[in-house]
Amino acid sequence: MTEKDINHLLGKLPQLKQEIQKVIVGQEEVLDEVLITMMAGGHGLLEGVPGLAKTLLVRTLSNAMDLGFRRIQFTPDLMPTDILGTEVLEEDHATGKRFFKFNEGPIFSNIVLADEINRTPPKTQAALLEAMQEHEVTYAGKTYFLPKPFFLLATQNPIEQAGTYPLPEAQLDRFLLYIKIKYPTEQEELNILTSTTGTRQAQVQPVITGEEVLMLRQLVREVSISDELLSFVNQLVRATRPDSTSVDFVKQYCRWGAGPRAGQALILTSKARALLNGRFAVTVDDIRTMAYPVLRHRVLINFTAEAEGITPDNVVEELLQSIKLPKAVLV
């Protein structure tokens, strides 16, 4: 890409945010994290109580992008074939021969919303694993490739746990970011009431294509990061592991730490955040900001922590205070 192409592409990002903000009031941090997930080529898990526009955010994002969109409502009786697709027996009317034809499920789309993913049993949840990791689906011994770009966003409700199935750690690790949606501020909530109870309907226009998303993902990987910051990320991730950490807080409150995928996620999302803010080099602030959504679902706390109200975010905060930055970065 030429410099002109890069500037044109980066200019699409503020436009994309503006289109989404026609419908979504506030939630700046959440919107940035969703866009960072998309730019880094990963998948996002959104958690928030009902009514915080989780589903609306994903639908609006799809409207602002010239991409295919499918929503899957996860329920206890949902089966893997309801997601992946199934083979049906068809007949060739010219020859009379019968054959099996694979009918693609809703997973075959650019943007997929897995709504209330923790309401379906592990058997059905696991149907997403291959699609999330390899961007392909295997059925009856045949491999079917998903469209590019492929981007999955899942939602879950943190309050109502009756009849739900918590995601296993292996599947949580497939999500690039664990995004928590908080209540809006008083002014934001007033704006929501004003904009959603009248007759005006916001019209969202697509501003970015699938090809441009793929170009953005390539551009993210070209963002510079110093060797010192790479070392800092490595130390940060390794310090989450109770058996090898030097941080007493982790030894006391954690039962399992993050794997190498966490370091990869932290570097890629930090690069994406830098690009989203118009920079071509990662800063310490990028890493510190992205450490929370990257690590909060990869650090498993023990029963002592749960009893004392310690959360994974508290662990990340302690780690960021304990792990010293390289001197070259401090200068």
Side-chain angles (χ1 to χ4, degrees):
M1 288 186 291
T2 64
E3 185 177 349
K4 183 180 179 181
D5 293 333
I6 293 173
N7 290 334
H8 175 73
L9 191 59
L10 294 183
K12 293 288 187 80
L13 293 174
Q15 296 176 36
L16 182 61
K17 290 182 68 173
Q18 288 172 10
E19 288 299 314
I20 296 172
Q21 288 169 336
K22 288 180 180 179
V23 176
I24 303 298
V25 178
Q27 303 292 0
E28 286 270 356
E29 184 178 336
V30 171
L31 178 55
D32 282 350
E33 289 178 359
V34 169
L35 292 179
I36 286 168
T37 306
M38 179 269 295
M39 292 168 62
H43 312 287
L45 177 62
L46 284 74
E47 181 180 274
V49 299
L52 294 185
K54 300 184 295 296
T55 303
L56 181 62
L57 171 60
V58 181
R59 186 175 293 279
T60 306
L61 173 68
S62 71
N63 292 337
M65 304 172 75
D66 190 15
L67 295 171
F69 171 72
R70 298 293 293 272
R71 172 182 175 179
I72 308 170
Q73 186 65 51
F74 280 69
T75 56
D77 60 347
L78 194 73
M79 296 296 290
T81 52
D82 296 326
I83 299 173
L84 306 179
T86 186
E87 285 187 337
V88 294
L89 186 63
E90 293 194 354
E91 182 177 337
D92 188 329
H93 296 292
T95 63
K97 291 184 177 180
R98 294 183 178 183
F99 60 94
F100 282 102
K101 179 184 177 182
F102 180 70
N103 282 354
E104 296 179 349
I107 195 70
F108 287 85
S109 188
N110 298 115
I111 302 177
V112 176
L113 169 59
D115 213 1
E116 297 188 285
I117 190 173
N118 58 335
R119 289 204 171 277
T120 200
K123 175 183 178 181
T124 306
Q125 291 173 356
L128 294 172
L129 283 172
E130 184 183 11
M132 292 174 69
Q133 190 65 30
E134 279 85 28
H135 294 190
E136 63 186 32
V137 167
T138 301
Y139 189 94
K142 293 183 180 180
T143 298
Y144 302 89
F145 295 97
L146 298 175
K148 295 181 180 181
F150 175 69
F151 177 42
L152 184 137
L153 284 168
T155 68
Q156 66 179 19
N157 174 5
I159 297 177
E160 191 177 354
Q161 297 303 323
T164 63
Y165 305 84
L167 290 171
E169 286 75 11
Q171 186 147 15
L172 281 173
D173 199 34
R174 260 68 174 188
F175 286 100
L176 191 71
L177 295 184
Y178 183 2
I179 303 167
K180 290 196 172 184
I181 304 179
K182 302 175 183 177
Y183 285 112
T185 64
E186 183 177 355
Q187 184 59 50
E188 288 172 350
E189 194 158 357
L190 180 60
N191 293 340
I192 291 170
L193 296 176
T194 303
S195 62
T196 59
T197 56
T199 57
R200 186 182 68 86
Q201 297 290 326
Q203 298 297 321
V204 177
Q205 302 298 325
V207 297
I208 193 168
T209 65
E211 184 180 353
E212 288 171 330
V213 170
L214 294 175
M215 292 167 65
L216 267 176
R217 290 181 174 181
Q218 181 59 40
L219 195 58
V220 163
R221 291 181 173 270
E222 295 178 12
V223 172
S224 174
I225 181 171
S226 68
D227 292 339
E228 290 80 11
L229 287 181
L230 280 172
S231 177
F232 175 63
V233 169
N234 191 39
Q235 292 178 43
L236 188 64
V237 172
R238 292 181 63 82
T240 64
R241 302 164 191 169
D243 57 344
S244 61
T245 187
S246 60
V247 181
D248 291 334
F249 194 87
V250 172
K251 292 179 180 179
Q252 183 177 359
Y253 293 115
C254 294
R255 59 186 175 89
W256 204 256
R261 192 180 279 126
Q264 296 170 331
L266 187 49
I267 291 169
L268 278 175
T269 54
S270 296
K271 287 185 173 187
R273 184 178 187 269
L275 201 62
L276 188 63
N277 287 282
R279 290 180 281 104
F280 292 92
V282 174
T283 65
V284 175
D285 185 59
D286 292 325
I287 294 172
R288 290 183 178 275
T289 301
M290 299 314 302
Y292 291 93
V294 165
L295 294 175
R296 65 168 56 114
H297 58 301
R298 294 181 167 99
V299 173
L300 305 183
I301 56 176
N302 56 28
F303 294 114
T304 304
E306 291 179 6
E308 297 183 18
I310 303 294
T311 67
D313 280 7
N314 297 136
V315 176
V316 176
E317 183 179 4
E318 187 69 27
L319 283 168
L320 290 173
Q321 293 176 0
S322 302
I323 305 301
K324 301 301 180 184
L325 287 169
K327 292 182 179 179
V329 175
L330 292 173
V331 173

